[in-house]
Coordinates of all heavy atoms in Angstrom, one line a residue:
L1 N 3.4 -0.4 8.0 CA 1.9 -0.3 8.0 C 1.3 -1.0 6.8 O 0.5 -1.9 6.9 CB 1.5 1.2 8.0 CG -0.1 1.4 8.1 CD1 -0.6 1.1 9.5 CD2 -0.3 2.8 7.7
Y2 N 1.8 -0.6 5.6 CA 1.2 -1.1 4.3 C 1.6 -2.6 4.0 O 0.8 -3.3 3.4 CB 1.5 -0.2 3.1 CG 0.9 1.1 3.2 CD1 1.6 2.3 3.2 CD2 -0.5 1.2 3.3 CE1 0.9 3.5 3.2 CE2 -1.2 2.5 3.4 CZ -0.4 3.6 3.3 OH -1.1 4.8 3.3
L3 N 2.8 -3.0 4.4 CA 3.1 -4.4 4.2 C 2.3 -5.3 5.1 O 1.8 -6.3 4.7 CB 4.7 -4.6 4.5 CG 5.1 -6.0 4.3 CD1 4.8 -6.7 3.0 CD2 6.6 -6.2 4.6
A4 N 2.2 -4.9 6.4 CA 1.4 -5.7 7.3 C 0.0 -5.8 6.8 O -0.7 -6.9 6.8 CB 1.5 -5.2 8.7
E5 N -0.6 -4.7 6.4 CA -2.0 -4.7 5.9 C -2.3 -5.5 4.7 O -3.1 -6.4 4.6 CB -2.5 -3.2 5.7 CG -3.9 -3.1 5.2 CD -4.3 -1.7 4.9 OE1 -4.0 -1.2 3.8 OE2 -4.9 -1.0 5.8
S6 N -1.4 -5.2 3.7 CA -1.7 -5.8 2.4 C -1.3 -7.4 2.5 O -2.0 -8.2 1.9 CB -0.7 -5.2 1.3 OG 0.6 -5.3 1.6
A7 N -0.3 -7.7 3.2 CA 0.1 -9.1 3.3 C -1.0 -9.9 4.1 O -1.3 -11.1 3.7 CB 1.4 -9.3 4.0
H8 N -1.6 -9.3 5.1 CA -2.6 -10.0 5.9 C -3.8 -10.1 5.1 O -4.6 -11.2 5.1 CB -2.9 -9.2 7.2 CG -3.6 -10.0 8.3 ND1 -2.9 -11.0 9.0 CD2 -4.8 -9.9 8.7 CE1 -3.8 -11.5 9.8 NE2 -4.9 -10.9 9.7
A9 N -4.2 -9.1 4.3 CA -5.4 -9.2 3.4 C -5.2 -10.3 2.4 O -6.2 -11.0 2.2 CB -5.6 -7.8 2.7
L10 N -4.0 -10.4 1.8 CA -3.8 -11.5 0.8 C -3.8 -12.8 1.5 O -4.4 -13.8 0.9 CB -2.5 -11.2 0.1 CG -2.4 -10.1 -0.9 CD1 -1.0 -9.8 -1.4 CD2 -3.3 -10.5 -2.1
E11 N -3.3 -13.0 2.7 CA -3.2 -14.2 3.3 C -4.6 -14.7 3.7 O -4.8 -16.0 3.6 CB -2.4 -14.1 4.6 CG -2.3 -15.3 5.5 CD -1.3 -16.3 5.0 OE1 -0.7 -16.0 4.0 OE2 -1.2 -17.3 5.6
H12 N -5.5 -13.9 4.0 CA -6.9 -14.3 4.4 C -8.0 -13.9 3.4 O -9.2 -14.0 3.8 CB -7.2 -13.7 5.8 CG -6.1 -14.2 6.8 ND1 -6.2 -15.4 7.4 CD2 -5.1 -13.5 7.4 CE1 -5.2 -15.5 8.2 NE2 -4.5 -14.3 8.3
A13 N -7.6 -13.6 2.2 CA -8.6 -13.1 1.2 C -9.7 -14.2 1.0 O -10.9 -13.9 0.8 CB -7.9 -12.8 -0.1
E14 N -9.3 -15.5 1.0 CA -10.3 -16.5 0.7 C -11.3 -16.7 1.7 O -12.4 -17.3 1.5 CB -9.5 -17.9 0.5 CG -8.6 -17.9 -0.7 CD -9.3 -17.8 -2.0 OE1 -10.4 -18.3 -2.1 OE2 -8.7 -17.3 -3.0
K15 N -11.1 -16.2 2.9 CA -12.1 -16.3 4.0 C -13.2 -15.3 3.8 O -14.2 -15.3 4.5 CB -11.4 -16.1 5.4 CG -10.4 -17.2 5.6 CD -9.8 -17.1 7.0 CE -8.7 -18.2 7.3 NZ -8.1 -18.0 8.5
V16 N -13.0 -14.3 2.9 CA -14.0 -13.3 2.7 C -15.0 -13.7 1.6 O -14.6 -14.0 0.5 CB -13.4 -11.9 2.3 CG1 -14.5 -10.9 2.1 CG2 -12.4 -11.5 3.4
S17 N -16.3 -13.8 1.9 CA -17.3 -14.4 1.0 C -18.1 -13.3 0.4 O -18.8 -13.5 -0.7 CB -18.1 -15.5 1.5 OG -18.7 -15.0 2.7
D18 N -18.3 -12.2 1.1 CA -19.3 -11.2 0.7 C -18.7 -9.8 0.5 O -19.0 -9.2 -0.6 CB -20.4 -11.0 1.8 CG -21.3 -12.3 1.8 OD1 -21.7 -12.8 0.7 OD2 -21.5 -12.8 2.9
L19 N -17.9 -9.3 1.4 CA -17.4 -7.9 1.3 C -16.2 -7.7 2.3 O -16.3 -8.1 3.5 CB -18.5 -6.9 1.7 CG -18.1 -5.4 1.8 CD1 -17.6 -4.9 0.5 CD2 -19.3 -4.6 2.4
L20 N -15.1 -7.2 1.7 CA -14.0 -6.8 2.6 C -13.9 -5.3 2.6 O -13.9 -4.7 1.5 CB -12.7 -7.4 2.1 CG -11.4 -7.0 2.8 CD1 -11.5 -7.4 4.3 CD2 -10.2 -7.5 2.2
V21 N -13.7 -4.7 3.8 CA -13.5 -3.2 4.0 C -12.2 -2.9 4.6 O -12.0 -3.3 5.7 CB -14.7 -2.6 4.7 CG1 -14.6 -1.1 4.7 CG2 -16.1 -3.1 4.2
L22 N -11.3 -2.3 3.9 CA -10.1 -1.8 4.5 C -10.3 -0.6 5.3 O -11.0 0.3 4.9 CB -9.0 -1.5 3.4 CG -8.7 -2.6 2.4 CD1 -7.6 -2.1 1.4 CD2 -8.2 -3.9 3.1
D23 N -9.7 -0.5 6.5 CA -9.8 0.7 7.3 C -8.8 1.7 6.8 O -7.6 1.7 7.1 CB -9.5 0.3 8.8 CG -9.7 1.6 9.7 OD1 -9.9 2.7 9.2 OD2 -9.7 1.3 10.9
G24 N -9.3 2.5 5.8 CA -8.4 3.5 5.2 C -8.6 3.4 3.7 O -9.5 2.7 3.2
P25 N -7.7 4.0 2.9 CA -7.8 4.1 1.5 C -7.7 2.7 0.8 O -7.1 1.8 1.5 CB -6.7 5.0 1.0 CG -6.3 5.8 2.3 CD -6.6 4.8 3.4
L26 N -8.2 2.6 -0.4 CA -8.1 1.4 -1.1 C -6.7 1.1 -1.5 O -6.3 -0.1 -1.6 CB -9.0 1.5 -2.4 CG -9.0 0.4 -3.4 CD1 -9.7 -0.8 -2.7 CD2 -9.8 0.8 -4.6
Y27 N -5.9 2.1 -1.8 CA -4.5 1.9 -2.2 C -3.6 2.6 -1.2 O -4.0 3.6 -0.5 CB -4.3 2.5 -3.7 CG -5.0 1.8 -4.7 CD1 -6.1 2.3 -5.4 CD2 -4.6 0.5 -5.1 CE1 -6.7 1.6 -6.4 CE2 -5.2 -0.2 -6.1 CZ -6.3 0.3 -6.7 OH -7.0 -0.4 -7.7
P28 N -2.3 2.3 -1.2 CA -1.3 2.9 -0.2 C -1.0 4.3 -0.6 O 0.0 4.5 -1.2 CB -0.1 1.9 -0.2 CG -0.2 1.3 -1.6 CD -1.6 1.2 -2.0
V29 N -1.7 5.3 -0.2 CA -1.6 6.6 -0.6 C -0.2 7.2 -0.3 O 0.3 7.9 -1.2 CB -2.7 7.5 0.0 CG1 -2.5 9.0 -0.3 CG2 -4.0 7.1 -0.4
E30 N 0.3 6.9 0.8 CA 1.6 7.5 1.2 C 2.7 7.0 0.2 O 3.6 7.8 -0.2 CB 2.0 7.1 2.7 CG 1.3 7.9 3.7 CD 1.7 7.6 5.1 OE1 2.9 7.7 5.4 OE2 0.9 7.1 6.0
L31 N 2.7 5.7 -0.1 CA 3.7 5.2 -1.0 C 3.5 5.8 -2.4 O 4.5 6.2 -3.1 CB 3.6 3.7 -1.1 CG 3.8 2.9 0.1 CD1 3.9 1.4 -0.2 CD2 5.1 3.4 0.9
L32 N 2.3 6.0 -2.9 CA 2.0 6.6 -4.2 C 2.4 8.1 -4.2 O 2.9 8.6 -5.2 CB 0.5 6.5 -4.5 CG 0.0 5.0 -4.6 CD1 -1.5 5.0 -5.1 CD2 0.8 4.2 -5.6
N33 N 2.3 8.7 -3.0 CA 2.7 10.1 -2.9 C 4.2 10.4 -3.1 O 4.6 11.4 -3.4 CB 2.3 10.6 -1.6 CG 1.0 11.5 -1.6 OD1 0.7 12.1 -2.6 ND2 0.2 11.4 -0.6
W34 N 5.0 9.3 -2.8 CA 6.4 9.5 -2.9 C 6.9 9.9 -4.3 O 7.8 10.7 -4.5 CB 7.2 8.2 -2.6 CG 7.1 7.9 -1.1 CD1 6.6 8.6 -0.1 CD2 7.6 6.7 -0.5 NE1 6.7 8.0 1.1 CE2 7.3 6.8 0.9 CE3 8.2 5.5 -0.9 CZ2 7.7 5.8 1.8 CZ3 8.6 4.5 0.0 CH2 8.3 4.6 1.4
R35 N 6.1 9.5 -5.3 CA 6.5 9.8 -6.7 C 6.2 11.3 -7.0 O 6.6 11.9 -8.0 CB 5.7 8.9 -7.7 CG 5.9 7.5 -7.4 CD 5.1 6.7 -8.4 NE 6.0 6.3 -9.6 CZ 5.5 5.7 -10.6 NH1 4.2 5.4 -10.7 NH2 6.3 5.4 -11.7
E36 N 5.4 12.0 -6.1 CA 5.1 13.4 -6.3 C 5.9 14.3 -5.4 O 5.8 15.5 -5.5 CB 3.6 13.6 -6.0 CG 2.6 12.7 -6.6 CD 2.6 12.9 -8.1 OE1 2.8 14.0 -8.6 OE2 2.5 11.8 -8.8
R37 N 6.8 13.7 -4.6 CA 7.6 14.4 -3.7 C 9.0 14.8 -4.2 O 9.1 14.9 -5.5 CB 7.8 13.6 -2.4 CG 6.4 13.3 -1.7 CD 5.8 14.4 -0.9 NE 6.7 14.7 0.2 CZ 6.6 14.0 1.4 NH1 5.8 13.0 1.6 NH2 7.4 14.4 2.4
D38 N 10.0 15.0 -3.4 CA 11.3 15.4 -3.9 C 12.1 14.2 -4.5 O 11.6 13.1 -4.5 CB 12.1 16.1 -2.8 CG 12.4 15.1 -1.6 OD1 12.4 13.9 -1.8 OD2 12.8 15.6 -0.5
A39 N 13.3 14.5 -5.0 CA 14.0 13.6 -5.8 C 14.4 12.3 -4.9 O 14.3 11.2 -5.6 CB 15.3 14.2 -6.3
E40 N 14.7 12.4 -3.7 CA 15.1 11.2 -2.9 C 13.9 10.3 -2.8 O 14.1 9.1 -2.9 CB 15.6 11.7 -1.5 CG 16.2 10.5 -0.7 CD 17.0 11.0 0.5 OE1 16.7 12.1 1.0 OE2 17.8 10.2 1.0
L41 N 12.7 10.8 -2.5 CA 11.5 9.9 -2.3 C 11.1 9.4 -3.7 O 10.7 8.1 -3.8 CB 10.4 10.6 -1.7 CG 10.5 10.8 -0.2 CD1 9.3 11.7 0.3 CD2 10.5 9.5 0.5
R42 N 11.3 10.1 -4.8 CA 11.0 9.6 -6.1 C 11.9 8.4 -6.5 O 11.4 7.4 -7.0 CB 11.1 10.7 -7.2 CG 9.9 11.7 -7.2 CD 9.9 12.5 -8.4 NE 11.1 13.2 -8.7 CZ 11.2 14.5 -8.2 NH1 10.3 15.0 -7.5 NH2 12.4 15.2 -8.4
E43 N 13.2 8.6 -6.1 CA 14.1 7.5 -6.4 C 13.8 6.3 -5.5 O 13.9 5.1 -6.0 CB 15.5 8.0 -6.1 CG 16.6 7.0 -6.4 CD 18.0 7.5 -6.1 OE1 18.1 8.8 -6.0 OE2 18.9 6.7 -6.0
L44 N 13.4 6.5 -4.3 CA 13.0 5.4 -3.4 C 11.8 4.6 -3.9 O 11.7 3.4 -3.8 CB 12.8 5.9 -2.0 CG 12.3 5.0 -0.9 CD1 13.5 3.9 -0.7 CD2 12.0 5.6 0.4
A45 N 10.9 5.4 -4.6 CA 9.7 4.8 -5.1 C 10.0 3.7 -6.1 O 9.1 2.9 -6.4 CB 8.8 5.9 -5.6
E46 N 11.1 3.8 -6.7 CA 11.5 2.9 -7.8 C 12.2 1.6 -7.2 O 12.5 0.7 -8.0 CB 12.4 3.5 -8.8 CG 11.8 4.7 -9.5 CD 10.5 4.5 -10.1 OE1 10.3 3.4 -10.7 OE2 9.5 5.3 -9.9
E47 N 12.4 1.6 -5.9 CA 13.1 0.5 -5.3 C 12.1 -0.8 -5.2 O 10.9 -0.6 -5.2 CB 13.5 0.8 -3.8 CG 14.6 1.9 -3.7 CD 16.0 1.3 -3.7 OE1 16.1 0.1 -3.7 OE2 16.9 2.0 -3.7
L48 N 12.7 -1.9 -5.1 CA 11.9 -3.1 -5.2 C 10.9 -3.2 -4.0 O 9.7 -3.6 -4.2 CB 12.8 -4.3 -5.2 CG 12.1 -5.7 -5.1 CD1 11.2 -6.0 -6.4 CD2 13.2 -6.9 -5.0

């Protein structure tokens, strides 16, 4: 979900001249949440 959204936004950013609105949060909340979860997800959050 987040790779498709962010990559598409970056690919077409130059076409936006006035305002871009993401459908959902400004940042990828689920990925950021991994650092607050258990050890396995915290470790995964450090992956490339």
Side-chain angles (χ1 to χ4, degrees):
L1 181 77
Y2 289 124
L3 177 56
E5 177 183 82
S6 61
H8 200 72
L10 286 169
E11 177 78 3
H12 300 283
E14 295 293 331
K15 296 180 181 178
V16 181
S17 57
D18 293 314
L19 172 65
L20 174 63
V21 187
L22 304 181
D23 187 348
L26 179 65
Y27 294 108
V29 173
E30 287 186 55
L31 301 188
L32 299 182
N33 260 328
W34 288 357
R35 304 180 94 188
E36 310 295 324
R37 301 279 293 279
D38 65 17
E40 188 170 19
L41 282 175
R42 284 197 300 272
E43 183 177 347
L44 179 63
E46 303 306 318
E47 295 270 354
L48 176 62

